[in-house]
């Protein structure tokens, strides 16, 4: 049986939202599938999924999250709270002339996708989560939890809290920092398990001190790295980092959803060598209660954090199979 021809025509749009404008990249026609990236990425992280989903009969749309790429970058960290990002996604769906969509996210995008499905079930009829599991709102204030991690070392999320601090580490050499960060979390280039953990920095040191050097992960070409670096060199890093600076605000804003499950049909794909999967194993084990509509959960052996780029063919096969299983 012949395979459908790939869809190569790509449409870029700028749609209005409370952020100002959200940039989206679209291929195909059919039921809408909204793709949401994580840190430090862009719509380009879905370059391997857009044509495949389009060929499978879907309208695949990848966005630049507010603060990234060609999307607007509002002033002030509070503009990047979760509820604002949820409404950006709703605005994109409606601007495209649709009432509902399937939403799929990776890394921070997975958390944004999960909360979009939780807060706006009228719009998001199914949710796919890549790399970061769903964990309902609850427990202590996030900043208190992160401050206790690492002992004498500093956890990267805590390090990102102070405006300007992480920017000062990254922005003098955006390309080099990104190359090291991507390599640190990729299965084929990450440090050995018994080496210093790149999610932490020693007191007085930097995260980059622990990044591997010398080669890029197999999924990342020099040209790919140029695309990512050019965007952040143009925009700076503050818009992206502001997502981390709202975790306490999110905890407050989402108090009414404490412990709430996501009931729509859902999917999870994680990497066996990804810290997000291993650190949050309890969240995955809780899926019967927290994701009662879970259709499938996959842990990919030998895979790190950048899952839809590291293992694009497997992820594409899982995504298209899951989408085909959903009610019309």
């Amino acid at each position: 049986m012949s395979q459908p021809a790939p869809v190569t025509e790509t449409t870029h749009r700028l749609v209005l939202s409370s952020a100002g404008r959200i940039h989206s990249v679209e291929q195909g026609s059919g039921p809408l599938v909204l793709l949401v990236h994580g840190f430090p990425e862009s719509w380009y992280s879905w370059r391997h999924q857009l044509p495949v989903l389009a060929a499978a009969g879907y309208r695949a749309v990848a966005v630049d999250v507010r603060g990234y790429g060609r999307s607007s970058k509002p002033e002030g960290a509070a503009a990047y709270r979760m509820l604002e990002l949820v409404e950006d996604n709703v605005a994109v769906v409606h601007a495209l002339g649709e009432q509902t969509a399937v939403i799929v996210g990776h890394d921070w995008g997975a958390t944004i996708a999960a909360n979009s499905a939780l807060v706006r079930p009228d719009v998001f009829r199914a949710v796919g989560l890549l790399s970061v599991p769903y964990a309902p709102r609850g427990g202590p204030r996030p900043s208190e939890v992160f401050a206790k991690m690492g002992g004498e070392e500093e956890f990267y999320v805590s390090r990102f809290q102070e405006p300007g601090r992480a920017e000062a580490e990254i922005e003098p050499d955006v390309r080099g920092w990104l190359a090291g960060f991507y390599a640190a979390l990729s299965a084929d280039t990450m440090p050995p398990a018994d080496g210093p953990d790149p999610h932490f920095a020693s007191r007085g040191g930097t995260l980059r001190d622990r990044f591997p050097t010398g080669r890029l992960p197999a999924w990342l070409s020099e040209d790919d790295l140029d695309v990512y670096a050019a965007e952040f060199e143009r925009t700076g890093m503050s818009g992206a980092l502001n997502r981390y600076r709202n975790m306490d605000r999110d905890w407050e804003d989402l108090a009414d959803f404490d412990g709430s499950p996501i009931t729509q049909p859902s999917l999870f794909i994680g990497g066996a060598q990804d810290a997000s999967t291993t650190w949050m194993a309890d969240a995955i084990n809780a899926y019967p209660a927290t994701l009662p509509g879970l259709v499938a959960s996959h842990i990919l052996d030998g895979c790190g954090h950048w899952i839809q780029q590291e293992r694009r063919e497997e992820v594409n096969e899982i995504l298209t199979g899951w989408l085909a299983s959903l009610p019309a």
Side-chain angles (χ1 to χ4, degrees):
M1 183 177 178
S2 62
Q3 296 295 313
V7 178
T8 56
E9 184 177 348
T10 301
T11 301
H12 289 254
R13 302 179 192 272
L14 289 170
V15 306
L16 294 178
S17 82
S18 63
R21 298 184 300 179
I22 297 295
H23 172 234
S24 67
V25 180
E26 176 180 341
Q27 289 190 30
S29 60
L32 178 59
V33 181
L34 191 65
L35 304 169
V36 187
H37 67 80
F39 174 88
E41 304 179 82
S42 75
W43 76 265
Y44 188 74
S45 304
W46 300 103
R47 63 195 178 280
H48 303 303
Q49 284 67 52
L50 287 166
V52 172
L53 295 179
Y58 299 95
R59 187 182 187 185
V61 176
V63 297
D64 279 334
V65 174
R66 71 165 65 189
Y68 286 83
R70 301 184 203 177
S71 290
S72 293
K73 298 155 194 67
E75 291 294 324
Y80 298 83
R81 65 208 311 152
M82 183 60 67
L83 291 178
E84 294 283 355
L85 304 183
V86 169
E87 287 308 308
D88 285 346
N89 291 335
V90 173
V92 171
V93 172
H94 290 165
L96 295 175
E98 304 287 350
Q99 295 302 311
T100 64
V102 175
I103 188 166
V104 179
H106 169 256
D107 181 75
W108 260 122
T111 304
I112 296 168
N115 281 286
S116 296
L118 181 69
V119 175
R120 294 300 304 268
D122 56 316
V123 176
F124 300 104
R125 62 186 181 91
V127 58
L129 309 176
L130 275 59
S131 296
V132 176
Y134 174 58
R137 186 264 187 213
R141 186 175 292 273
S143 60
E144 297 172 2
V145 175
F146 297 133
K148 294 175 182 176
M149 296 179 65
E152 292 301 310
E153 298 181 332
E154 186 178 24
F155 189 45
Y156 78 102
V157 176
S158 296
R159 192 175 184 85
F160 287 173
Q161 295 304 305
E162 181 184 341
R165 187 181 180 209
E167 289 90 331
E169 175 181 336
I170 302 168
E171 290 178 352
D173 178 18
V174 169
R175 194 178 192 277
W177 195 93
L178 290 176
F181 190 72
Y182 295 146
L185 305 186
S186 298
D188 60 333
T189 49
M190 63 176 53
D194 59 354
D197 190 333
H199 295 89
F200 296 85
S202 59
R203 301 293 173 177
T206 66
L207 291 169
R208 189 172 179 174
D209 293 340
R210 298 186 176 184
F211 292 167
T213 59
R215 70 185 180 101
L216 297 179
W219 62 268
L220 183 71
S221 70
E222 296 284 351
D223 288 344
D224 293 331
L225 181 58
D226 285 342
V227 171
Y228 286 121
E231 289 290 73
F232 288 111
E233 286 166 351
R234 180 175 60 82
T235 65
M237 297 299 299
S238 291
L241 289 162
N242 278 339
R243 172 81 295 269
Y244 290 92
R245 296 164 183 161
N246 279 279
M247 298 178 80
D248 282 353
R249 288 189 186 95
D250 298 341
W251 182 81
E252 294 168 357
D253 290 346
L254 296 168
D256 288 346
F257 295 92
D258 193 83
S260 295
I262 295 173
T263 59
Q264 296 97 309
S266 57
L267 169 74
F268 177 71
I269 315 174
Q273 291 178 241
D274 183 3
S276 298
T277 302
T278 55
W279 288 350
M280 298 185 71
D282 287 348
I284 296 173
N285 292 336
Y287 279 169
T290 62
L291 292 178
L294 185 69
V295 174
S297 179
H298 303 262
I299 304 295
L300 304 186
D301 290 337
C303 184
H305 183 66
W306 316 105
I307 191 164
Q308 78 270 36
Q309 298 176 88
E310 288 189 56
R311 300 287 278 276
R312 59 194 184 194
E313 291 182 0
E314 263 180 281
V315 168
N316 287 344
E317 183 177 355
I318 292 168
L319 277 178
T320 53
W322 172 67
L323 289 167
S325 78
L326 297 176

